Amino acid sequence: MDIKQYTNDAVELLSKLISTPSVSREEAAAADVLTDFIGKWGMPYRRIGNNVLILEELDPAKETLLLNAHIDTVKPVATWTRDPFTPTLEGDRLYGLGANDCGGGLVSLLQVYRILRGDASQHKTYNLVYLASCEEEVSGDNGFRLALPELPEIDVAIVGEPTGMRPAIAEKGLMVIDGIARGKSGHAARNEGVNAIYEALDDLIWLRDYRFKKESPLLGATKMTVTVLNSGTQHNVVPDECHFVIDVRPNEYYQNEYLFAFLQKHMKKCELKARSFRLSSSHIPVGNPLVQRCIKMGMNPFGSPTLSDQALMPFKSLKLGPGESSRSHSADEFICISEIEKAISMYVELISN
């Protein structure tokens, strides 16, 4: 097994992906690039929309491990000093949009699949499946959710998000809630109307000050933040509606449905509507064999505040990938070539044992 050559192949693919814009819901060209490389390397694949699945020689009597990462990116921010779609190698760093989130994990896990599928000894103990999913950054319906019914029964998954190759064994969920307070319009110069902003104030203050009791040793407290507030049409009209958005980040102790019902109960004047309940917090027990193997290799488990496709997985999973989360969604995003090489070696050691 020549790790250097597999690393070179990974970097070649990643460079091509960087130069192929793949903003969420526009991943078709990037999926084409990925399937071209997979075909060149002699592996069969299935295309599910813009998701790419490698699924071969499954034994229903064996446990199944899923290797997953996403091909889509966010839109580039305005403060890039380089062309985000031109892969630029400077020393050990490869710059480009999606290099860190989550191109490094995507191409590393694909090389790991190539390595292990050629090792007959591994096929005696477990099945291996690879999925490159799309629309992860927007939790879209045509991403992991579309591919999920096509997957076999999965026992555990490794999600290649950038974690510095530390296992994230829990991650916070997400629930976005729209709120509205209603008043009655009137002329601001006279004592008329009911101001919807004032109607909302008590509920907004409660949302600011309330603290949920159950704190997680991995994820900390469940957090809710009012992030958007809109009201009024002009200076001399008392507003009759006040709209706001609540960003809720639950830990593993609270389900989204429970949290929504709890918030509804405590609103005095405001009406709430959740956009979705499906992005729940995820957690894999520290006693899971995959987690235990990580620990034996010297990795330190932690809890991640950022959301991934783990929220959509009805099976156990952990995040483990090259790069750092702090680089994600930022200008001049990069991945180190040495991080990709290290990740491939660590993945192979982890999964082989």
Side-chain angles (χ1 to χ4, degrees):
M1 180 178 62
D2 187 348
I3 291 294
K4 289 288 186 183
Q5 184 56 55
Y6 283 111
T7 302
N8 291 340
D9 287 349
V11 173
E12 180 186 1
L13 172 56
L14 180 53
S15 297
K16 185 65 175 177
L17 288 171
I18 289 170
S19 65
T20 308
S22 55
V23 173
S24 300
R25 298 192 176 97
E26 300 175 6
E27 308 98 338
D32 290 342
V33 168
L34 189 60
T35 55
D36 286 346
F37 275 78
I38 292 172
K40 181 180 72 173
W41 290 325
M43 295 183 289
Y45 64 86
R46 291 171 56 191
R47 182 87 172 250
I48 308 165
N50 291 327
N51 304 285
V52 179
L53 175 65
I54 306 178
L55 184 70
E56 50 185 329
E57 299 182 16
L58 297 187
D59 183 342
K62 299 174 183 175
E63 292 187 317
T64 300
L65 170 64
L66 172 66
L67 307 179
N68 168 248
H70 64 88
I71 65 176
D72 61 313
T73 72
V74 295
K75 295 179 180 179
V77 295
T79 49
W80 272 82
T81 64
R82 301 166 171 83
D83 180 354
F85 301 112
T86 298
T88 305
L89 186 60
E90 296 181 6
D92 189 38
R93 294 182 176 186
L94 177 63
Y95 289 90
L97 183 64
N100 181 77
D101 184 15
C102 121
L106 180 77
V107 299
S108 297
L109 285 173
L110 181 56
Q111 299 310 310
V112 170
Y113 185 92
R114 286 180 69 196
I115 294 167
L116 295 181
R117 76 185 288 267
D119 185 347
S121 66
Q122 299 307 317
H123 287 230
K124 296 177 182 178
T125 55
Y126 61 86
N127 300 310
L128 196 61
V129 176
Y130 175 86
L131 175 66
S133 47
C134 64
E135 296 192 6
E136 187 272 349
E137 296 289 2
V138 294
S139 299
D141 291 337
N142 292 316
F144 190 87
R145 292 183 72 191
L146 181 66
L148 182 58
E150 305 300 319
L151 294 178
E153 182 176 346
I154 302 296
D155 293 280
V156 67
I158 296 175
V159 180
E161 292 284 330
T163 67
M165 290 306 288
R166 294 175 59 209
I169 63 172
E171 73 168 16
K172 283 192 171 181
L174 170 65
M175 179 172 52
V176 181
I177 299 174
D178 293 297
I180 182 172
R182 302 184 190 278
K184 182 179 179 182
S185 62
H187 199 298
R190 298 191 294 268
N191 189 25
E192 293 179 348
V194 177
N195 193 316
I197 297 175
Y198 298 160
E199 292 293 284
L201 280 179
D202 286 344
D203 288 341
L204 292 174
I205 291 171
W206 183 88
L207 290 167
R208 181 195 68 185
D209 294 341
Y210 186 79
R211 299 292 181 268
F212 291 96
K213 295 179 180 179
K214 297 179 182 179
E215 294 198 12
S216 164
L218 288 167
L219 298 175
T222 290
K223 192 174 186 300
M224 55 183 176
T225 308
V226 177
T227 54
V228 179
L229 183 69
N230 293 299
S231 186
T233 56
Q234 59 190 64
H235 77 89
N236 57 354
V237 178
V238 173
D240 57 359
E241 289 188 348
C242 178
H243 298 263
F244 57 93
V245 177
I246 314 170
D247 179 289
V248 184
R249 304 283 174 158
N251 61 27
E252 70 270 31
Y253 296 134
Y254 295 98
Q255 293 297 311
N256 286 337
E257 292 85 349
Y258 168 83
L259 290 172
F260 180 72
F262 182 83
L263 295 183
Q264 278 189 311
K265 181 180 178 181
H266 285 82
M267 294 293 98
K268 296 179 179 178
K269 296 287 183 67
C270 297
E271 303 169 17
L272 302 181
K273 183 178 180 180
R275 297 182 187 178
S276 171
F277 295 120
R278 61 188 175 90
L279 301 176
S280 299
S281 174
S282 62
H283 176 254
I284 185 171
V286 72
N288 182 278
L290 192 62
V291 179
Q292 285 297 303
R293 178 61 188 161
C294 287
I295 294 172
K296 289 178 182 178
M297 288 176 61
M299 305 182 212
N300 297 315
F302 73 105
S304 171
T306 58
L307 193 70
S308 74
D309 275 339
Q310 281 186 285
L312 304 175
M313 295 180 180
F315 40 78
K316 298 300 182 185
S317 61
L318 59 81
K319 286 194 295 197
L320 180 68
E324 298 293 343
S325 181
S326 58
R327 300 178 202 154
S328 301
H329 304 185
S330 64
D332 297 334
E333 179 184 351
F334 69 89
I335 189 78
C336 295
I337 308 304
S338 58
E339 291 175 322
I340 292 176
E341 182 175 355
K342 178 182 177 182
I344 294 172
S345 296
M346 290 181 68
Y347 280 138
V348 170
E349 182 182 356
L350 170 67
I351 299 170
S352 296
N353 289 276

